[in-house]
PDB file of all heavy atoms in Angstrom:
ATOM      1  N   PRO A  20      50.356  21.391  29.478  1.00 94.00           N
ATOM      2  CA  PRO A  20      49.936  20.216  28.726  1.00 94.00           C
ATOM      3  C   PRO A  20      49.223  19.254  29.684  1.00 94.00           C
ATOM      4  O   PRO A  20      49.320  19.407  30.907  1.00 94.00           O
ATOM      5  CB  PRO A  20      51.262  19.618  28.272  1.00 94.00           C
ATOM      6  CG  PRO A  20      52.189  19.933  29.419  1.00 94.00           C
ATOM      7  CD  PRO A  20      51.715  21.274  29.970  1.00 94.00           C
ATOM      8  N   LEU A  21      48.513  18.322  29.157  1.00 92.00           N
ATOM      9  CA  LEU A  21      47.983  17.201  29.950  1.00 92.00           C
ATOM     10  C   LEU A  21      48.390  15.936  29.211  1.00 92.00           C
ATOM     11  O   LEU A  21      47.638  15.409  28.383  1.00 92.00           O
ATOM     12  CB  LEU A  21      46.462  17.268  30.102  1.00 92.00           C
ATOM     13  CG  LEU A  21      45.913  18.261  31.092  1.00 92.00           C
ATOM     14  CD1 LEU A  21      44.392  18.234  31.111  1.00 92.00           C
ATOM     15  CD2 LEU A  21      46.452  18.024  32.489  1.00 92.00           C
ATOM     16  N   ALA A  22      49.589  15.484  29.501  1.00 89.00           N
ATOM     17  CA  ALA A  22      50.160  14.354  28.765  1.00 89.00           C
ATOM     18  C   ALA A  22      49.295  13.099  28.888  1.00 89.00           C
ATOM     19  O   ALA A  22      49.126  12.363  27.917  1.00 89.00           O
ATOM     20  CB  ALA A  22      51.575  14.080  29.258  1.00 89.00           C
ATOM     21  N   TYR A  23      48.707  12.883  30.048  1.00 91.00           N
ATOM     22  CA  TYR A  23      47.920  11.661  30.235  1.00 91.00           C
ATOM     23  C   TYR A  23      46.635  11.670  29.406  1.00 91.00           C
ATOM     24  O   TYR A  23      46.011  10.636  29.205  1.00 91.00           O
ATOM     25  CB  TYR A  23      47.618  11.412  31.718  1.00 91.00           C
ATOM     26  CG  TYR A  23      46.566  12.308  32.319  1.00 91.00           C
ATOM     27  CD1 TYR A  23      45.246  11.891  32.400  1.00 91.00           C
ATOM     28  CD2 TYR A  23      46.892  13.561  32.820  1.00 91.00           C
ATOM     29  CE1 TYR A  23      44.274  12.701  32.962  1.00 91.00           C
ATOM     30  CE2 TYR A  23      45.934  14.375  33.373  1.00 91.00           C
ATOM     31  CZ  TYR A  23      44.632  13.939  33.445  1.00 91.00           C
ATOM     32  OH  TYR A  23      43.670  14.748  33.996  1.00 91.00           O
ATOM     33  N   LYS A  24      46.256  12.830  28.884  1.00 93.00           N
ATOM     34  CA  LYS A  24      45.110  12.929  27.972  1.00 93.00           C
ATOM     35  C   LYS A  24      45.565  13.244  26.542  1.00 93.00           C
ATOM     36  O   LYS A  24      44.758  13.567  25.693  1.00 93.00           O
ATOM     37  CB  LYS A  24      44.140  14.015  28.439  1.00 93.00           C
ATOM     38  CG  LYS A  24      43.378  13.644  29.684  1.00 93.00           C
ATOM     39  CD  LYS A  24      42.269  14.633  29.943  1.00 93.00           C
ATOM     40  CE  LYS A  24      41.416  14.147  31.108  1.00 93.00           C
ATOM     41  NZ  LYS A  24      40.219  14.970  31.269  1.00 93.00           N
ATOM     42  N   ASN A  25      46.879  13.170  26.331  1.00 93.00           N
ATOM     43  CA  ASN A  25      47.472  13.485  25.023  1.00 93.00           C
ATOM     44  C   ASN A  25      47.127  14.892  24.547  1.00 93.00           C
ATOM     45  O   ASN A  25      46.892  15.113  23.364  1.00 93.00           O
ATOM     46  CB  ASN A  25      47.063  12.445  23.974  1.00 93.00           C
ATOM     47  CG  ASN A  25      47.627  11.088  24.278  1.00 93.00           C
ATOM     48  OD1 ASN A  25      48.782  10.962  24.687  1.00 93.00           O
ATOM     49  ND2 ASN A  25      46.819  10.057  24.116  1.00 93.00           N
ATOM     50  N   LEU A  26      47.122  15.841  25.468  1.00 95.00           N
ATOM     51  CA  LEU A  26      46.847  17.235  25.136  1.00 95.00           C
ATOM     52  C   LEU A  26      48.143  18.035  25.260  1.00 95.00           C
ATOM     53  O   LEU A  26      48.765  18.048  26.319  1.00 95.00           O
ATOM     54  CB  LEU A  26      45.781  17.827  26.069  1.00 95.00           C
ATOM     55  CG  LEU A  26      44.404  17.163  26.022  1.00 95.00           C
ATOM     56  CD1 LEU A  26      43.500  17.737  27.110  1.00 95.00           C
ATOM     57  CD2 LEU A  26      43.774  17.330  24.655  1.00 95.00           C
ATOM     58  N   VAL A  27      48.509  18.702  24.174  1.00 96.00           N
ATOM     59  CA  VAL A  27      49.713  19.536  24.189  1.00 96.00           C
ATOM     60  C   VAL A  27      49.394  20.870  24.854  1.00 96.00           C
ATOM     61  O   VAL A  27      48.238  21.177  25.136  1.00 96.00           O
ATOM     62  CB  VAL A  27      50.275  19.743  22.768  1.00 96.00           C
ATOM     63  CG1 VAL A  27      50.634  18.410  22.120  1.00 96.00           C
ATOM     64  CG2 VAL A  27      49.306  20.530  21.902  1.00 96.00           C
ATOM     65  N   ASN A  28      50.425  21.676  25.090  1.00 96.00           N
ATOM     66  CA  ASN A  28      50.280  22.973  25.765  1.00 96.00           C
ATOM     67  C   ASN A  28      49.056  23.744  25.274  1.00 96.00           C
ATOM     68  O   ASN A  28      48.880  23.943  24.083  1.00 96.00           O
ATOM     69  CB  ASN A  28      51.517  23.839  25.532  1.00 96.00           C
ATOM     70  CG  ASN A  28      52.681  23.417  26.373  1.00 96.00           C
ATOM     71  OD1 ASN A  28      52.525  22.971  27.497  1.00 96.00           O
ATOM     72  ND2 ASN A  28      53.886  23.556  25.835  1.00 96.00           N
ATOM     73  N   PHE A  29      48.262  24.184  26.238  1.00 96.00           N
ATOM     74  CA  PHE A  29      47.110  25.025  25.949  1.00 96.00           C
ATOM     75  C   PHE A  29      47.039  26.093  27.025  1.00 96.00           C
ATOM     76  O   PHE A  29      47.595  25.944  28.109  1.00 96.00           O
ATOM     77  CB  PHE A  29      45.799  24.214  25.917  1.00 96.00           C
ATOM     78  CG  PHE A  29      45.529  23.422  27.159  1.00 96.00           C
ATOM     79  CD1 PHE A  29      44.880  23.995  28.249  1.00 96.00           C
ATOM     80  CD2 PHE A  29      45.923  22.095  27.252  1.00 96.00           C
ATOM     81  CE1 PHE A  29      44.633  23.263  29.414  1.00 96.00           C
ATOM     82  CE2 PHE A  29      45.673  21.362  28.406  1.00 96.00           C
ATOM     83  CZ  PHE A  29      45.022  21.942  29.482  1.00 96.00           C
ATOM     84  N   PHE A  30      46.370  27.192  26.704  1.00 96.00           N
ATOM     85  CA  PHE A  30      46.188  28.262  27.687  1.00 96.00           C
ATOM     86  C   PHE A  30      45.098  27.876  28.672  1.00 96.00           C
ATOM     87  O   PHE A  30      44.117  27.222  28.313  1.00 96.00           O
ATOM     88  CB  PHE A  30      45.808  29.579  27.010  1.00 96.00           C
ATOM     89  CG  PHE A  30      46.950  30.242  26.324  1.00 96.00           C
ATOM     90  CD1 PHE A  30      47.018  30.294  24.946  1.00 96.00           C
ATOM     91  CD2 PHE A  30      47.968  30.828  27.067  1.00 96.00           C
ATOM     92  CE1 PHE A  30      48.075  30.911  24.315  1.00 96.00           C
ATOM     93  CE2 PHE A  30      49.031  31.444  26.440  1.00 96.00           C
ATOM     94  CZ  PHE A  30      49.080  31.486  25.066  1.00 96.00           C
ATOM     95  N   ARG A  31      45.267  28.321  29.901  1.00 95.00           N
ATOM     96  CA  ARG A  31      44.269  28.122  30.950  1.00 95.00           C
ATOM     97  C   ARG A  31      43.945  29.489  31.532  1.00 95.00           C
ATOM     98  O   ARG A  31      44.622  29.986  32.421  1.00 95.00           O
ATOM     99  CB  ARG A  31      44.833  27.190  32.023  1.00 95.00           C
ATOM    100  CG  ARG A  31      43.856  26.825  33.092  1.00 95.00           C
ATOM    101  CD  ARG A  31      44.460  25.691  33.946  1.00 95.00           C
ATOM    102  NE  ARG A  31      43.912  25.721  35.270  1.00 95.00           N
ATOM    103  CZ  ARG A  31      44.527  26.186  36.349  1.00 95.00           C
ATOM    104  NH1 ARG A  31      45.743  26.663  36.257  1.00 95.00           N
ATOM    105  NH2 ARG A  31      43.952  26.176  37.510  1.00 95.00           N
ATOM    106  N   MET A  32      42.904  30.093  30.977  1.00 94.00           N
ATOM    107  CA  MET A  32      42.468  31.422  31.401  1.00 94.00           C
ATOM    108  C   MET A  32      41.546  31.259  32.606  1.00 94.00           C
ATOM    109  O   MET A  32      40.530  30.575  32.533  1.00 94.00           O
ATOM    110  CB  MET A  32      41.732  32.104  30.247  1.00 94.00           C
ATOM    111  CG  MET A  32      41.133  33.419  30.586  1.00 94.00           C
ATOM    112  SD  MET A  32      42.413  34.655  30.876  1.00 94.00           S
ATOM    113  CE  MET A  32      41.383  36.076  31.138  1.00 94.00           C
ATOM    114  N   VAL A  33      41.911  31.892  33.705  1.00 93.00           N
ATOM    115  CA  VAL A  33      41.119  31.818  34.926  1.00 93.00           C
ATOM    116  C   VAL A  33      40.657  33.224  35.273  1.00 93.00           C
ATOM    117  O   VAL A  33      41.478  34.098  35.529  1.00 93.00           O
ATOM    118  CB  VAL A  33      41.941  31.233  36.097  1.00 93.00           C
ATOM    119  CG1 VAL A  33      41.087  31.126  37.348  1.00 93.00           C
ATOM    120  CG2 VAL A  33      42.542  29.891  35.722  1.00 93.00           C
ATOM    121  N   THR A  34      39.351  33.449  35.254  1.00 92.00           N
ATOM    122  CA  THR A  34      38.853  34.751  35.674  1.00 92.00           C
ATOM    123  C   THR A  34      38.760  34.753  37.191  1.00 92.00           C
ATOM    124  O   THR A  34      38.405  33.756  37.808  1.00 92.00           O
ATOM    125  CB  THR A  34      37.482  35.084  35.053  1.00 92.00           C
ATOM    126  OG1 THR A  34      36.558  34.052  35.361  1.00 92.00           O
ATOM    127  CG2 THR A  34      37.596  35.235  33.555  1.00 92.00           C
ATOM    128  N   THR A  35      39.112  35.862  37.779  1.00 89.00           N
ATOM    129  CA  THR A  35      39.164  35.974  39.233  1.00 89.00           C
ATOM    130  C   THR A  35      38.105  36.956  39.723  1.00 89.00           C
ATOM    131  O   THR A  35      37.456  37.632  38.933  1.00 89.00           O
ATOM    132  CB  THR A  35      40.549  36.465  39.677  1.00 89.00           C
ATOM    133  OG1 THR A  35      40.805  37.730  39.053  1.00 89.00           O
ATOM    134  CG2 THR A  35      41.640  35.468  39.295  1.00 89.00           C
ATOM    135  N   CYS A  36      37.949  37.018  41.019  1.00 86.00           N
ATOM    136  CA  CYS A  36      36.941  37.897  41.619  1.00 86.00           C
ATOM    137  C   CYS A  36      37.433  39.324  41.799  1.00 86.00           C
ATOM    138  O   CYS A  36      36.631  40.246  41.928  1.00 86.00           O
ATOM    139  CB  CYS A  36      36.505  37.341  42.974  1.00 86.00           C
ATOM    140  SG  CYS A  36      35.655  35.765  42.829  1.00 86.00           S
ATOM    141  N   TYR A  37      38.737  39.509  41.851  1.00 85.00           N
ATOM    142  CA  TYR A  37      39.272  40.850  42.037  1.00 85.00           C
ATOM    143  C   TYR A  37      40.614  40.945  41.346  1.00 85.00           C
ATOM    144  O   TYR A  37      41.441  40.059  41.527  1.00 85.00           O
ATOM    145  CB  TYR A  37      39.430  41.175  43.529  1.00 85.00           C
ATOM    146  CG  TYR A  37      39.776  42.617  43.748  1.00 85.00           C
ATOM    147  CD1 TYR A  37      38.781  43.580  43.754  1.00 85.00           C
ATOM    148  CD2 TYR A  37      41.084  43.020  43.895  1.00 85.00           C
ATOM    149  CE1 TYR A  37      39.095  44.919  43.922  1.00 85.00           C
ATOM    150  CE2 TYR A  37      41.409  44.348  44.065  1.00 85.00           C
ATOM    151  CZ  TYR A  37      40.407  45.295  44.074  1.00 85.00           C
ATOM    152  OH  TYR A  37      40.717  46.616  44.225  1.00 85.00           O
ATOM    153  N   PRO A  38      40.853  41.950  40.568  1.00 88.00           N
ATOM    154  CA  PRO A  38      39.919  43.006  40.230  1.00 88.00           C
ATOM    155  C   PRO A  38      38.742  42.432  39.446  1.00 88.00           C
ATOM    156  O   PRO A  38      38.868  41.424  38.759  1.00 88.00           O
ATOM    157  CB  PRO A  38      40.729  43.990  39.407  1.00 88.00           C
ATOM    158  CG  PRO A  38      41.891  43.213  38.892  1.00 88.00           C
ATOM    159  CD  PRO A  38      42.137  42.109  39.859  1.00 88.00           C
ATOM    160  N   THR A  39      37.612  43.105  39.545  1.00 88.00           N
ATOM    161  CA  THR A  39      36.403  42.618  38.900  1.00 88.00           C
ATOM    162  C   THR A  39      36.626  42.558  37.393  1.00 88.00           C
ATOM    163  O   THR A  39      36.907  43.571  36.765  1.00 88.00           O
ATOM    164  CB  THR A  39      35.212  43.545  39.223  1.00 88.00           C
ATOM    165  OG1 THR A  39      35.076  43.628  40.640  1.00 88.00           O
ATOM    166  CG2 THR A  39      33.932  43.011  38.617  1.00 88.00           C
ATOM    167  N   PRO A  40      36.506  41.363  36.806  1.00 91.00           N
ATOM    168  CA  PRO A  40      36.733  41.239  35.362  1.00 91.00           C
ATOM    169  C   PRO A  40      35.547  41.799  34.575  1.00 91.00           C
ATOM    170  O   PRO A  40      34.410  41.766  35.036  1.00 91.00           O
ATOM    171  CB  PRO A  40      36.857  39.726  35.162  1.00 91.00           C
ATOM    172  CG  PRO A  40      36.083  39.129  36.289  1.00 91.00           C
ATOM    173  CD  PRO A  40      36.202  40.087  37.439  1.00 91.00           C
ATOM    174  N   THR A  41      35.833  42.306  33.385  1.00 94.00           N
ATOM    175  CA  THR A  41      34.785  42.856  32.526  1.00 94.00           C
ATOM    176  C   THR A  41      34.853  42.178  31.161  1.00 94.00           C
ATOM    177  O   THR A  41      35.861  41.541  30.813  1.00 94.00           O
ATOM    178  CB  THR A  41      34.960  44.370  32.322  1.00 94.00           C
ATOM    179  OG1 THR A  41      36.180  44.592  31.596  1.00 94.00           O
ATOM    180  CG2 THR A  41      35.001  45.109  33.657  1.00 94.00           C
ATOM    181  N   GLU A  42      33.811  42.353  30.375  1.00 95.00           N
ATOM    182  CA  GLU A  42      33.825  41.834  29.017  1.00 95.00           C
ATOM    183  C   GLU A  42      34.918  42.520  28.204  1.00 95.00           C
ATOM    184  O   GLU A  42      35.558  41.883  27.355  1.00 95.00           O
ATOM    185  CB  GLU A  42      32.458  42.011  28.365  1.00 95.00           C
ATOM    186  CG  GLU A  42      31.404  41.113  28.980  1.00 95.00           C
ATOM    187  CD  GLU A  42      30.026  41.234  28.346  1.00 95.00           C
ATOM    188  OE1 GLU A  42      29.850  42.056  27.403  1.00 95.00           O
ATOM    189  OE2 GLU A  42      29.125  40.499  28.786  1.00 95.00           O
ATOM    190  N   GLU A  43      35.168  43.779  28.474  1.00 96.00           N
ATOM    191  CA  GLU A  43      36.237  44.503  27.780  1.00 96.00           C
ATOM    192  C   GLU A  43      37.601  43.884  28.094  1.00 96.00           C
ATOM    193  O   GLU A  43      38.465  43.782  27.216  1.00 96.00           O
ATOM    194  CB  GLU A  43      36.239  45.988  28.159  1.00 96.00           C
ATOM    195  CG  GLU A  43      35.048  46.757  27.641  1.00 96.00           C
ATOM    196  CD  GLU A  43      33.758  46.541  28.456  1.00 96.00           C
ATOM    197  OE1 GLU A  43      33.821  46.099  29.635  1.00 96.00           O
ATOM    198  OE2 GLU A  43      32.677  46.787  27.899  1.00 96.00           O
ATOM    199  N   ASP A  44      37.786  43.458  29.340  1.00 95.00           N
ATOM    200  CA  ASP A  44      39.030  42.777  29.712  1.00 95.00           C
ATOM    201  C   ASP A  44      39.194  41.490  28.913  1.00 95.00           C
ATOM    202  O   ASP A  44      40.288  41.171  28.425  1.00 95.00           O
ATOM    203  CB  ASP A  44      39.052  42.432  31.210  1.00 95.00           C
ATOM    204  CG  ASP A  44      39.049  43.646  32.112  1.00 95.00           C
ATOM    205  OD1 ASP A  44      39.560  44.708  31.703  1.00 95.00           O
ATOM    206  OD2 ASP A  44      38.522  43.522  33.245  1.00 95.00           O
ATOM    207  N   MET A  45      38.109  40.740  28.793  1.00 96.00           N
ATOM    208  CA  MET A  45      38.160  39.474  28.065  1.00 96.00           C
ATOM    209  C   MET A  45      38.440  39.717  26.578  1.00 96.00           C
ATOM    210  O   MET A  45      39.213  38.978  25.961  1.00 96.00           O
ATOM    211  CB  MET A  45      36.850  38.698  28.230  1.00 96.00           C
ATOM    212  CG  MET A  45      36.482  38.360  29.683  1.00 96.00           C
ATOM    213  SD  MET A  45      37.715  37.363  30.563  1.00 96.00           S
ATOM    214  CE  MET A  45      38.476  38.595  31.623  1.00 96.00           C
ATOM    215  N   ASP A  46      37.833  40.751  26.013  1.00 97.00           N
ATOM    216  CA  ASP A  46      38.106  41.102  24.614  1.00 97.00           C
ATOM    217  C   ASP A  46      39.575  41.484  24.438  1.00 97.00           C
ATOM    218  O   ASP A  46      40.200  41.108  23.441  1.00 97.00           O
ATOM    219  CB  ASP A  46      37.212  42.264  24.158  1.00 97.00           C
ATOM    220  CG  ASP A  46      35.747  41.869  24.032  1.00 97.00           C
ATOM    221  OD1 ASP A  46      35.446  40.658  23.897  1.00 97.00           O
ATOM    222  OD2 ASP A  46      34.895  42.780  24.077  1.00 97.00           O
ATOM    223  N   PHE A  47      40.129  42.213  25.409  1.00 97.00           N
ATOM    224  CA  PHE A  47      41.539  42.592  25.337  1.00 97.00           C
ATOM    225  C   PHE A  47      42.424  41.347  25.306  1.00 97.00           C
ATOM    226  O   PHE A  47      43.387  41.276  24.526  1.00 97.00           O
ATOM    227  CB  PHE A  47      41.944  43.485  26.504  1.00 97.00           C
ATOM    228  CG  PHE A  47      43.417  43.782  26.519  1.00 97.00           C
ATOM    229  CD1 PHE A  47      43.947  44.750  25.678  1.00 97.00           C
ATOM    230  CD2 PHE A  47      44.275  43.064  27.335  1.00 97.00           C
ATOM    231  CE1 PHE A  47      45.312  45.003  25.661  1.00 97.00           C
ATOM    232  CE2 PHE A  47      45.640  43.306  27.324  1.00 97.00           C
ATOM    233  CZ  PHE A  47      46.164  44.281  26.487  1.00 97.00           C
ATOM    234  N   VAL A  48      42.116  40.362  26.136  1.00 97.00           N
ATOM    235  CA  VAL A  48      42.926  39.135  26.181  1.00 97.00           C
ATOM    236  C   VAL A  48      42.944  38.465  24.813  1.00 97.00           C
ATOM    237  O   VAL A  48      44.006  38.120  24.280  1.00 97.00           O
ATOM    238  CB  VAL A  48      42.393  38.166  27.263  1.00 97.00           C
ATOM    239  CG1 VAL A  48      43.053  36.799  27.152  1.00 97.00           C
ATOM    240  CG2 VAL A  48      42.604  38.742  28.654  1.00 97.00           C
ATOM    241  N   ILE A  49      41.778  38.293  24.237  1.00 97.00           N
ATOM    242  CA  ILE A  49      41.701  37.622  22.935  1.00 97.00           C
ATOM    243  C   ILE A  49      42.393  38.459  21.857  1.00 97.00           C
ATOM    244  O   ILE A  49      43.163  37.928  21.044  1.00 97.00           O
ATOM    245  CB  ILE A  49      40.237  37.324  22.570  1.00 97.00           C
ATOM    246  CG1 ILE A  49      39.713  36.227  23.499  1.00 97.00           C
ATOM    247  CG2 ILE A  49      40.106  36.895  21.116  1.00 97.00           C
ATOM    248  CD1 ILE A  49      38.265  35.871  23.313  1.00 97.00           C
ATOM    249  N   ASP A  50      42.147  39.747  21.846  1.00 97.00           N
ATOM    250  CA  ASP A  50      42.782  40.627  20.869  1.00 97.00           C
ATOM    251  C   ASP A  50      44.304  40.610  20.996  1.00 97.00           C
ATOM    252  O   ASP A  50      45.027  40.597  19.991  1.00 97.00           O
ATOM    253  CB  ASP A  50      42.269  42.058  20.997  1.00 97.00           C
ATOM    254  CG  ASP A  50      40.804  42.210  20.605  1.00 97.00           C
ATOM    255  OD1 ASP A  50      40.255  41.315  19.924  1.00 97.00           O
ATOM    256  OD2 ASP A  50      40.203  43.230  20.987  1.00 97.00           O
ATOM    257  N   GLU A  51      44.793  40.631  22.237  1.00 97.00           N
ATOM    258  CA  GLU A  51      46.238  40.649  22.458  1.00 97.00           C
ATOM    259  C   GLU A  51      46.880  39.334  22.007  1.00 97.00           C
ATOM    260  O   GLU A  51      47.966  39.339  21.418  1.00 97.00           O
ATOM    261  CB  GLU A  51      46.532  40.926  23.943  1.00 97.00           C
ATOM    262  CG  GLU A  51      47.999  41.089  24.269  1.00 97.00           C
ATOM    263  CD  GLU A  51      48.618  42.375  23.723  1.00 97.00           C
ATOM    264  OE1 GLU A  51      47.982  43.127  22.951  1.00 97.00           O
ATOM    265  OE2 GLU A  51      49.779  42.636  24.083  1.00 97.00           O
ATOM    266  N   ILE A  52      46.229  38.234  22.265  1.00 97.00           N
ATOM    267  CA  ILE A  52      46.747  36.943  21.789  1.00 97.00           C
ATOM    268  C   ILE A  52      46.820  36.947  20.266  1.00 97.00           C
ATOM    269  O   ILE A  52      47.817  36.515  19.676  1.00 97.00           O
ATOM    270  CB  ILE A  52      45.895  35.781  22.328  1.00 97.00           C
ATOM    271  CG1 ILE A  52      46.132  35.599  23.824  1.00 97.00           C
ATOM    272  CG2 ILE A  52      46.206  34.482  21.587  1.00 97.00           C
ATOM    273  CD1 ILE A  52      45.186  34.640  24.508  1.00 97.00           C
ATOM    274  N   GLU A  53      45.776  37.451  19.637  1.00 96.00           N
ATOM    275  CA  GLU A  53      45.789  37.540  18.173  1.00 96.00           C
ATOM    276  C   GLU A  53      46.909  38.444  17.681  1.00 96.00           C
ATOM    277  O   GLU A  53      47.614  38.093  16.717  1.00 96.00           O
ATOM    278  CB  GLU A  53      44.451  38.064  17.645  1.00 96.00           C
ATOM    279  CG  GLU A  53      43.340  37.043  17.693  1.00 96.00           C
ATOM    280  CD  GLU A  53      42.016  37.584  17.160  1.00 96.00           C
ATOM    281  OE1 GLU A  53      41.747  38.792  17.321  1.00 96.00           O
ATOM    282  OE2 GLU A  53      41.264  36.780  16.590  1.00 96.00           O
ATOM    283  N   ARG A  54      47.104  39.595  18.327  1.00 96.00           N
ATOM    284  CA  ARG A  54      48.167  40.518  17.907  1.00 96.00           C
ATOM    285  C   ARG A  54      49.539  39.889  18.054  1.00 96.00           C
ATOM    286  O   ARG A  54      50.369  39.940  17.140  1.00 96.00           O
ATOM    287  CB  ARG A  54      48.120  41.799  18.748  1.00 96.00           C
ATOM    288  CG  ARG A  54      47.197  42.862  18.239  1.00 96.00           C
ATOM    289  CD  ARG A  54      47.401  44.188  18.977  1.00 96.00           C
ATOM    290  NE  ARG A  54      47.053  44.136  20.389  1.00 96.00           N
ATOM    291  CZ  ARG A  54      45.816  44.273  20.861  1.00 96.00           C
ATOM    292  NH1 ARG A  54      44.811  44.462  20.046  1.00 96.00           N
ATOM    293  NH2 ARG A  54      45.579  44.219  22.153  1.00 96.00           N
ATOM    294  N   LEU A  55      49.776  39.291  19.205  1.00 96.00           N
ATOM    295  CA  LEU A  55      51.105  38.753  19.496  1.00 96.00           C
ATOM    296  C   LEU A  55      51.401  37.460  18.724  1.00 96.00           C
ATOM    297  O   LEU A  55      52.564  37.096  18.532  1.00 96.00           O
ATOM    298  CB  LEU A  55      51.265  38.517  20.997  1.00 96.00           C
ATOM    299  CG  LEU A  55      51.251  39.775  21.864  1.00 96.00           C
ATOM    300  CD1 LEU A  55      51.266  39.403  23.339  1.00 96.00           C
ATOM    301  CD2 LEU A  55      52.408  40.688  21.518  1.00 96.00           C
ATOM    302  N   GLY A  56      50.349  36.764  18.306  1.00 95.00           N
ATOM    303  CA  GLY A  56      50.551  35.490  17.626  1.00 95.00           C
ATOM    304  C   GLY A  56      50.301  35.519  16.137  1.00 95.00           C
ATOM    305  O   GLY A  56      50.366  34.479  15.474  1.00 95.00           O
TER     306      GLY A  56
END
């Protein structure tokens, strides 16, 4: 959360340099969040 900005819990997705991220990886993240939620 960022209480001082009145923002409740949110995800903070950080892409890293290794392992090399792909568009398929990013699609998996979004799909998995949808499945689990």
Side-chain angles (χ1 to χ4, degrees):
L21 283 179
Y23 74 96
K24 289 190 173 188
N25 294 319
L26 298 173
V27 301
N28 284 326
F29 55 86
F30 285 109
R31 185 170 154 257
M32 175 69 176
V33 182
T34 56
T35 58
C36 295
Y37 189 82
T39 304
T41 65
E42 291 181 359
E43 291 78 20
D44 296 331
M45 301 301 105
D46 290 339
F47 175 79
V48 170
I49 290 177
D50 293 342
E51 185 70 352
I52 289 170
E53 285 180 327
R54 273 191 295 277
L55 294 174

